[in-house]
Amino acid sequence: MKLYSDDELAQILDQPIFHQIGQVADEMGVDCYVVGGYVRDIFLQRPSNDIDVVVVGSGIDVASRLKKVLGRKAHLSVFRNFGTAQVKMGHMEVEFVGARRESYSHDSRKPIVEDGTLEDDQNRRDFTINAMAICLNGSRFGELVDPFNGLADLEDGIIATPLDPEVTFSDDPLRMMRCIRFATQLNFQIEEETFRALEDMAERIRIVSMERIQVELNKIMLAPTPSRGFVDLQRAGLLQIILPEVAALDIVEQKNGRAHKNNFYHSLEVLDNVARRDAGLWLRWAALLHDIGKTKTKRWDALAGWTFHNHNYIGMKMVEPLFRRMKLPMGQEMHYVEKLVELHMRPQAIADNEVTDSAVRRLLSDAGDDIDDLMTLCEADITSKNEVKKKLFLENFRMVREKLTDLVEKDYKRLLQPVIDGNEIMQLFGLKPSREVGLLKQFLKDAVLDNRVANEREPLMELLMEKAKEMKLVHD
């Protein structure tokens, strides 16, 4: 970060929009300040187009007057129920609100709001680094107002609340998620007293809607090193409430001197591995959830030790209810995560044996357009500390990738679906949609994938008729 004097801040804010806001405020006889994330990001030297302005008076009135000054190039939106207004001009958005004080009841995040001073407004802010303000009035333009030493916390890489953290988190429990989110995104440490309050107030998160929680969780997921956030959520006791399926992985059992690995920290390592490859949100979700079935499938075998048979299938079945509870998208995003969780063992199974065309064709058929993401997940899943073993796994995966590339180049994707489809099968044998139709379709698909027959009409029809006779759908 970089420290700036008030004069330097005035130079940074030496833009028409800030001077116009200040002039309007001076004409109306009110004080106004740019506050919050925009101020924080100035010192972090991060670009931002979202500007929050606090007016010691009516934010709506100042926004309305500013719209008249800016003319047609600006658009005004007023939200009277919230006492806010937004002026949008090009890519720049300025949110105006009157300075206020807030009080809360125990069972709600919705505050009782009253007009207040700048000090009241800064008191209600979530963290010290978000409670700084810079004056826009002409006589004090560029003056930093920092009553809680947010600048020092920014310099030290600390997340702390302006007031008593228990009160801050009790008033609005979503701030607990935001606390961990900011620490994760900025690579900051959570101040000790603030973290104790997270632990003490964790149960309060239950009054927050899951829609709001998952927005913050997704921001943690998209951070450069998302594991930091999930470790803090687990330590604070929040993850057990929000994502118990993942929290339950944080256990190591030992029997007869043999212990299995901690699947929670393994999953976080896989998540960080895909994050380093700049993976998208849903591949990151697949990485986090790929082993959630292990808690339900863990068994002790006297010969094999700890086993987790079919954990990929059980884990896939857990994805839909988890997404539903978390209010995550139930469409293609959820099905994508299901698919990757279910298939994440397949490339390893292929790599452990001879990498045959048949096995790779089947993988390509089942993964479809998500094959590259699946391979990325599987490579990220290699977290062994044994470098020789790790190198061997990666070499095997390289061979699988090469075979995939060869098959795609030979246009196998086009040939994977038999030329005789389900509709024709129903017409041929007078069937309605049924189990028999599914069996015949799968029979033809297996024959093509195993290269037992060319994907051509005549040989496939011959094979189909033989199978239909076997199933007594036709007679000699």
Side-chain angles (χ1 to χ4, degrees):
M1 65 164 285
K2 185 170 174 59
L3 298 175
Y4 298 104
S5 66
D6 288 354
D7 288 341
E8 288 172 320
L9 289 174
Q11 290 176 10
I12 291 169
L13 296 179
D14 187 17
Q15 302 174 45
I17 187 66
F18 293 116
H19 287 296
Q20 288 162 331
I21 294 170
Q23 287 166 8
V24 167
D26 285 341
E27 290 169 7
M28 299 179 69
V30 295
D31 291 341
C32 73
Y33 304 81
V34 60
V35 296
Y38 191 85
V39 177
R40 178 197 67 226
D41 288 344
I42 286 175
F43 292 100
L44 291 175
Q45 298 181 288
R46 302 197 311 183
S48 177
N49 289 322
D50 296 327
I51 304 165
D52 291 324
V53 171
V54 163
V55 177
V56 186
S58 171
I60 293 175
D61 289 350
V62 171
S64 301
R65 179 79 68 89
L66 178 67
K67 165 67 174 83
K68 291 178 181 177
V69 171
L70 297 175
R72 291 184 177 179
K73 59 185 176 182
H75 176 75
L76 172 68
S77 301
V78 175
F79 310 96
R80 294 198 178 276
N81 288 346
F82 300 98
T84 64
Q86 182 191 78
V87 175
K88 187 171 183 179
M89 190 169 61
H91 296 296
M92 185 173 287
E93 295 180 2
V94 186
E95 197 87 29
F96 290 85
V97 65
R100 59 194 186 187
R101 66 166 63 96
E102 296 177 344
S103 57
Y104 291 80
S105 62
H106 187 73
D107 60 349
S108 174
R109 288 183 57 239
K110 295 180 179 178
I112 300 166
V113 178
E114 302 173 276
D115 292 342
T117 64
L118 175 66
E119 182 182 4
D120 291 327
D121 203 87
Q122 289 176 299
N123 285 342
R124 74 177 182 84
R125 299 278 162 175
D126 50 8
F127 307 111
T128 60
I129 63 172
N130 295 333
M132 297 181 286
I134 301 174
C135 188
L136 297 180
N137 295 90
S139 61
R140 297 169 53 211
F141 191 84
E143 179 185 311
L144 178 67
V145 183
D146 182 18
F148 303 110
N149 295 315
L151 197 55
D153 285 347
L154 205 56
E155 191 174 15
D156 293 339
I158 296 292
I159 302 292
T161 59
L163 304 178
D164 182 340
E166 286 204 4
V167 174
T168 298
F169 295 148
S170 180
D171 283 350
D172 184 356
L174 185 64
R175 290 170 177 164
M176 293 190 286
M177 295 296 299
R178 286 169 57 81
C179 176
I180 291 173
R181 188 253 289 183
F182 279 120
T184 308
Q185 287 179 325
L186 299 174
N187 197 22
F188 280 17
Q189 296 295 320
I190 300 172
E191 183 260 341
E192 193 173 326
E193 184 183 355
T194 302
F195 197 88
R196 280 200 301 271
L198 287 176
E199 296 174 295
D200 293 341
M201 306 304 294
E203 284 293 322
R204 287 283 286 161
I205 199 67
R206 295 186 190 276
I207 74 166
V208 182
S209 73
M210 198 55 81
E211 288 89 347
R212 300 300 299 274
I213 289 173
Q214 59 103 331
V215 167
E216 294 300 325
L217 201 60
N218 283 340
K219 289 178 180 178
I220 292 171
M221 192 79 81
L222 288 169
T225 310
S227 64
R228 289 176 51 91
F230 284 95
V231 169
D232 282 345
L233 287 168
Q234 180 76 334
R235 287 176 55 224
L238 288 162
L239 197 66
Q240 293 89 325
I241 300 169
I242 297 165
L243 272 177
E245 301 91 339
V246 176
L249 294 171
D250 189 8
I251 187 171
V252 175
E253 286 193 60
Q254 187 168 330
K255 196 162 186 176
N256 296 350
R258 298 171 72 176
H260 61 79
K261 65 186 173 187
N262 185 305
N263 288 302
F264 174 70
Y265 287 98
H266 163 72
S267 296
L268 295 188
E269 193 172 349
V270 177
L271 175 58
D272 283 349
N273 285 344
V274 300
R276 275 192 286 273
R277 298 190 183 200
D278 204 24
L281 177 61
W282 305 112
L283 180 51
R284 295 180 189 220
W285 269 103
L288 180 68
L289 302 182
H290 78 283
D291 274 349
I292 55 169
K294 283 191 170 180
T295 306
K296 292 185 176 182
T297 58
K298 181 168 60 177
R299 300 287 185 274
W300 170 258
D301 182 278
L303 295 176
W306 292 104
T307 67
F308 304 92
H309 295 310
N310 291 326
H311 76 271
N312 55 316
Y313 177 76
I314 298 300
M316 179 271 290
K317 289 293 188 183
M318 295 169 69
V319 170
E320 182 177 352
L322 184 153
F323 265 53
R324 193 176 302 281
R325 188 188 74 246
M326 294 292 299
K327 308 298 183 186
L328 289 162
M330 297 300 294
Q332 63 183 19
E333 298 90 347
M334 185 268 291
H335 293 303
Y336 166 90
V337 174
E338 280 185 325
K339 181 196 287 187
L340 265 59
V341 171
E342 182 181 17
L343 295 179
H344 80 270
M345 301 292 291
R346 285 273 293 281
Q348 181 63 61
I350 293 172
D352 284 345
N353 299 291
E354 184 184 352
V355 184
T356 64
D357 281 4
S358 174
V360 175
R361 278 195 207 99
R362 287 177 176 278
L363 178 64
L364 186 56
S365 173
D366 291 340
D369 292 337
D370 301 316
I371 185 65
D372 196 55
D373 284 356
L374 176 63
M375 292 303 298
T376 297
L377 172 61
C378 294
E379 288 158 356
D381 198 14
I382 302 170
T383 61
S384 172
K385 300 300 180 282
N386 183 325
E387 289 302 320
V388 174
K389 189 176 179 182
K390 190 172 182 178
K391 186 176 179 181
L392 178 62
F393 282 152
L394 287 172
E395 176 61 21
N396 287 347
F397 278 136
R398 186 190 63 76
M399 288 190 290
V400 174
R401 277 195 182 272
E402 281 185 1
K403 185 71 74 174
L404 282 165
T405 301
D406 289 344
L407 290 177
V408 170
E409 286 176 357
K410 293 174 184 175
D411 202 18
Y412 273 113
K413 287 185 77 173
R414 179 177 59 81
L415 300 175
L416 288 178
Q417 293 301 326
V419 294
I420 300 174
D421 63 14
N423 289 327
E424 186 169 359
I425 290 172
M426 288 190 286
Q427 289 174 1
L428 277 169
F429 305 114
L431 297 172
K432 293 181 178 179
S434 59
R435 177 174 173 273
E436 286 81 4
V437 176
L439 287 172
L440 289 171
K441 281 176 62 180
Q442 190 61 48
F443 174 73
L444 294 182
K445 186 172 183 178
D446 288 344
V448 171
L449 291 172
D450 291 339
N451 209 24
R452 287 188 281 118
V453 64
N455 192 8
E456 297 170 1
R457 185 172 186 75
E458 188 173 331
L460 273 178
M461 186 62 76
E462 186 178 332
L463 204 62
L464 176 64
M465 296 308 292
E466 289 178 10
K467 186 65 177 177
K469 288 177 185 175
E470 183 185 316
M471 295 172 62
K472 299 190 176 5
L473 297 175
V474 293
H475 303 283
D476 293 330

